[in-house]
Amino acid sequence: MRREDGRPGPGDDVEAVLDELYALPPSEFVARREERAARARTRRRVQDARRIHAARRPTLAGWAANLLRRSRPDEAQRFLELGRALREAYTTLDPSGLKELSAQRRRIVSEMSRQAAALAREAGRPLSDAVQRDVETTLRAVLADPEAAAVWEAGRVEGVLTPPSEFGADAVAAVPPRRESTPARTSRKDATTARGKKDEEAERRRAEREERAARAQEEARDAEKRLRERRAAREEAAAALERADEQEREAGERVAALEEQLARARTERERTHAELGEARERDRAAEVELAEAEREAAAAARRAARAERDNT
């Protein structure tokens, strides 16, 4: 129901409706979505209805990830904080922090995915190995990608979220340059020269590492941009497909109604055609009887005339 001030009442807020939808098992998603969208249209909330109708049904992996977020809020919050720390450590290229956080990531992703599988099993929808791997991929994306983290934090994951390419299965700490062995007896000048060369080599390697990291980050950003564009195009195509399905269903209903009307019209036509044939038969019979009556009347008139002449 709507409030007196015209704003949506309890249960009508579009965000609350979306939260409700993404908390449902995938098998119940579409029916409830159409019900909520229809109610919004009935109440003339056209934009809300469009937004609700555009919501995509989550895969089983997406539903399990959302279930984990809602059922384990404390663990989920710590998981999101770990993701922020991991991204910061990767950005600053802190080898020690990166190594420690990578180990934490592996342990926590594994534990969180097991919790998601247990929750799904308790809800009567056990996950296959492939689906659980999709959940793990999504959790790795949540740690690596702030956009993926925002989607999961909202509890509205639709499918498998993919981590950026710069975050592989494990983050690798930088390897310190190998020390060169020097002769035991070296002059001070030679030692200074050797140290200078080693410093130059270390600087060169550091510059190369930074250049590779910058290039990898740029490639990852480009790949992520392309991924977002593909996702947007896929969502647009899916929305167009759904609209076409809806239009095809409505057209099918109209065709069925017209076919039913046509069948009734044909039945009526057959009935009136039969009645027309019967009417024609009655008309022909009446015509024959009329002609016979006219002949009999004429003959009677002639007999009457002869009888009158014979009496005169």
Side-chain angles (χ1 to χ4, degrees):
M1 59 183 291
R2 294 183 66 84
R3 295 163 30 156
E4 293 181 358
D5 59 6
R7 290 181 294 171
D12 286 335
D13 179 70
V14 66
E15 296 297 333
V17 171
L18 292 174
D19 286 340
E20 175 195 4
L21 291 176
Y22 283 98
L24 293 172
S27 59
E28 301 175 17
F29 184 93
V30 173
R32 186 68 61 85
R33 180 193 65 190
E34 298 308 305
E35 174 189 334
R36 296 303 192 200
R39 186 165 73 175
R41 284 193 295 268
T42 300
R43 297 176 181 181
R44 298 182 181 179
R45 290 165 39 234
V46 179
Q47 294 300 326
D48 287 353
R50 288 176 179 170
R51 188 175 173 195
I52 293 169
H53 188 71
R56 305 262 63 80
R57 180 179 67 178
T59 62
L60 188 58
W63 167 77
N66 294 332
L67 178 64
L68 176 65
R69 170 69 182 97
R70 288 185 171 86
S71 301
R72 298 288 188 271
D74 294 338
E75 290 89 337
Q77 191 58 41
R78 288 195 292 272
F79 191 73
L80 291 167
E81 291 172 359
L82 173 64
R84 285 190 287 270
L86 180 61
R87 292 192 296 274
E88 182 178 355
Y90 189 90
T91 302
T92 57
L93 296 176
D94 178 5
S96 61
L98 193 59
K99 182 177 180 180
E100 180 181 352
L101 288 173
S102 296
Q104 291 183 31
R105 181 183 66 175
R106 289 192 296 272
R107 292 194 302 271
I108 294 178
V109 165
S110 179
E111 175 59 27
M112 294 286 278
S113 67
R114 284 196 295 270
Q115 289 187 29
L119 290 168
R121 189 165 52 251
E122 291 172 5
R125 291 171 173 81
L127 307 182
S128 66
D129 292 342
V131 172
Q132 190 165 352
R133 285 194 295 272
D134 287 343
V135 173
E136 291 181 359
T137 300
T138 294
L139 292 175
R140 287 198 299 272
V142 170
L143 292 178
D145 184 359
E147 292 186 8
V151 172
W152 185 66
E153 186 173 15
R156 297 177 189 175
V157 177
E158 296 175 357
V160 181
L161 301 178
T162 306
S165 58
E166 60 187 327
F167 279 80
D170 292 300
V172 180
V175 179
R178 182 173 56 88
R179 294 183 176 272
E180 299 290 341
S181 60
T182 57
R185 296 179 179 177
T186 307
S187 67
R188 180 173 298 178
K189 182 178 179 179
D190 291 342
T192 302
T193 302
R195 282 196 300 271
K197 289 182 178 179
K198 285 193 290 184
D199 290 343
E200 291 177 0
E201 181 68 15
E203 179 63 23
R204 184 184 63 79
R205 291 179 180 178
R206 186 190 63 79
E208 289 177 352
R209 286 198 302 272
E210 290 180 353
E211 183 181 355
R212 286 196 299 270
R215 188 166 55 249
Q217 289 178 354
E218 181 66 24
E219 292 174 352
R221 283 193 292 269
D222 292 342
E224 186 64 18
K225 180 181 178 181
R226 290 194 297 272
L227 177 60
R228 286 195 295 270
E229 291 173 351
R230 299 298 183 273
R231 283 175 178 168
R234 174 66 179 82
E235 290 174 358
E236 183 178 351
L241 175 60
E242 189 162 349
R243 288 194 299 270
D245 286 342
E246 181 68 16
Q247 292 171 357
E248 192 274 339
R249 183 187 64 78
E250 293 175 354
E253 291 176 354
R254 290 196 297 271
V255 168
L258 291 172
E259 287 178 345
E260 184 178 354
Q261 293 177 8
L262 178 60
R264 288 198 299 269
R266 283 175 174 168
T267 301
E268 182 66 15
R269 181 172 179 273
E270 291 174 358
R271 183 183 64 78
T272 56
H273 183 73
E275 291 177 353
L276 177 62
E278 294 175 357
R280 284 174 176 169
E281 289 295 329
R282 289 195 297 271
D283 179 68
R284 283 195 292 270
E287 184 180 5
V288 171
E289 292 175 353
L290 175 61
E292 183 64 26
E294 287 176 345
R295 286 194 297 273
E296 291 178 354
R302 288 193 296 274
R303 287 195 298 272
R306 282 197 301 273
E308 185 177 353
R309 287 196 300 272
D310 292 343
N311 289 332
T312 57

